[in-house]
Amino acid sequence: MKSSRTLIVKERTALLRYLQSQYPETKRTALKQLLRHRAVFVNGNPVTRHDHVLEPKDRVVIERGAPAPVCKPSATMPEIVFEDRHIIVVNKPEGLLTIATEKETHRTAYRQVMAYVQEDRPHRGERIFIVHRLDRDTSGLLVFARTEEAKRAMQQNWESAEKKYYAVVEGVPREASGTIRSHLREHPKSLRMHSAPPSDEAKLAITKYLLIRSTRHFSLLEVKLETGRKNQIRAHLSEHGNPIVGDKKYDAHGNPIKRLGLHAYYLAFPHPISGKRLVFKTAIPEEFESLVNEEPGIGYRVSGFGHAKKGERIGKSRSPVETLQAKTSRMGNRRRSGIGFRVSGFGNAKKRRKER
């Protein structure tokens, strides 16, 4: 028994690219097999060339030998934060891909949210569309569109969306707040993003951070993205001496919370249809709190992004300057007892024996 799906093209594009946009969870090779087996029809005619040009209002029909299986929700289903007829916002857990890769095709946020909307309306051919992505090990707010119109509107304006993260990093930044600006490119072998001179491959990346709280060994930062490059926060914080906890790829020394210390907690953008400004927030993950609460009170209370109220303290809190002075005092005491410190990066202190 054959099943078919009919699609109406909205803009000029190549056939394979169009199929990939409609079936983001399907491998490229599988889509090419559909073409090879003459299972794709454009305006009633079978097409086998992947570079066939589609025009607006073309009718594309995909036939399959059997109905496509409907996704089933699993225990990894992200928490639904908001939904209406046009968008759906979820809180993605860490360890879950946004979209399929060659190695993992089933356990993805896309598949689980698709299963959710299909289960709700199984006979209406409900679909979702990718707007942006989060790394597998990053948790937090993720938006899917429920219509092509909403998808196009959001992607066209995504650079203007306001995105903030909580990051737990190793060490303490020397400055309580700052802006990291560089051009990032991907290393062809390690696949790490790194700063490089401006070029076609190296794109401008701007990351702002604000120190919220710190202990002797870890700091909780609020991070705001001005641009959206791959691994931007991870690369920038690592290059500035404070790698994210658990981020072995970007030089973290340990993983005390058994996960990457990065969470997309704040997202604000205009609704793609009504234009109304939407704001979504999630709480600091408990693992982050536990790591920076071992020595409560070293830090500022946050009052908006980029501002710390200098007189307002958390318990017995100290400002970053006071903290540095306290560390300097401790260093002096240790030197007198034969043990000294040398500062590495942005405040990671390492013990060494005093040279005699």
Side-chain angles (χ1 to χ4, degrees), residues 181-185 194-199 202-205 236 239:
R181 180 191 297 263
S182 74
H183 288 74
L184 292 178
R185 66 175 298 176
H194 65 95
S195 295
S199 68
K203 306 296 184 182
L204 178 64
H236 268 171
E239 289 183 354

Side-chain angles (χ1 to χ4, degrees), residues 17-277:
R17 182 177 298 175
Y18 181 71
L19 293 176
Q20 287 178 304
S21 71
Q22 299 298 313
Y23 295 92
E25 289 281 298
T26 304
K27 292 182 180 179
R28 181 186 176 94
T29 52
L31 295 174
K32 283 188 172 182
Q33 284 181 349
L34 288 176
L35 294 171
R36 222 171 9 248
H37 290 92
R38 302 173 68 84
V40 180
F41 295 77
V42 179
N43 299 328
N45 301 311
V47 176
T48 58
R49 290 184 60 88
H50 67 85
D51 58 353
H52 176 86
V53 177
L54 298 175
E55 301 291 345
K57 298 185 179 180
D58 277 353
R59 183 180 294 269
V60 178
V61 177
I62 298 98
E63 289 192 349
R64 300 191 184 218
V70 174
C71 301
K72 294 183 179 180
S74 75
T76 59
M77 173 65 196
E79 172 196 0
I80 304 297
V81 176
F82 172 85
E83 65 175 310
D84 63 12
R85 293 181 302 160
H86 308 286
I87 62 172
I88 182 166
V89 182
V90 302
N91 186 12
K92 185 186 82 69
E94 78 282 359
L96 185 66
L97 285 165
T98 298
I99 195 170
T101 64
E102 291 186 1
K103 294 182 179 180
E104 177 60 75
T105 59
H106 295 285
R107 192 173 179 271
T108 67
Y110 175 89
R111 191 176 183 87
Q112 293 308 317
V113 178
M114 176 77 87
Y116 167 78
V117 299
Q118 287 181 344
E119 186 178 56
D120 186 40
R121 298 176 179 178
H123 305 298
R124 294 185 55 177
E126 191 82 4
R127 298 192 63 236
I128 59 171
F129 301 85
I130 299 291
V131 174
H132 68 121
R133 306 183 188 192
L134 291 177
D135 292 343
R136 180 204 289 262
D137 295 322
T138 301
S139 58
L141 294 168
L142 184 63
V143 185
F144 294 97
R146 301 183 75 160
T147 66
E148 288 190 78
E149 180 185 9
K151 172 195 171 183
R152 286 195 300 272
M154 293 199 68
Q155 288 186 334
Q156 288 171 1
N157 297 292
W158 192 245
E159 286 295 321
S160 64
E162 191 173 0
K163 302 171 280 284
K164 298 180 187 178
Y165 294 72
Y166 286 127
V168 178
V169 301
E170 296 181 351
V172 182
R174 287 179 180 172
E175 302 294 333
S177 63
T179 299
I180 306 170
R181 180 191 297 263
S182 74
H183 288 74
L184 292 178
R185 66 175 298 176
E186 187 173 55
H187 190 280
K189 292 184 178 180
S190 68
L191 302 182
R192 281 175 46 135
M193 300 298 290
H194 65 95
S195 295
S199 68
D200 290 341
E201 293 79 24
K203 306 296 184 182
L204 178 64
I206 303 172
T207 306
K208 295 184 176 181
Y209 74 87
L210 173 68
L211 177 63
I212 299 175
R213 194 179 309 151
S214 67
T215 68
R216 291 177 182 172
H217 306 294
F218 304 105
S219 298
L220 175 64
L221 308 180
E222 182 186 55
V223 181
K224 183 178 180 181
L225 286 180
E226 295 293 315
T227 56
R229 310 303 176 203
K230 178 182 177 182
N231 293 174
Q232 176 177 323
I233 297 174
R234 298 165 63 184
H236 268 171
L237 292 179
S238 176
E239 289 183 354
H240 279 72
N242 298 95
I244 294 174
V245 165
D247 198 357
K248 184 177 180 180
K249 181 177 180 179
Y250 287 93
D251 303 323
H253 296 90
N255 191 2
I257 56 176
K258 308 302 180 187
R259 60 157 293 183
L260 183 72
L262 188 61
H263 177 75
Y265 90 93
Y266 180 99
L267 193 55
F269 55 87
H271 190 279
I273 305 303
S274 69
K276 179 181 177 181
R277 180 175 169 81

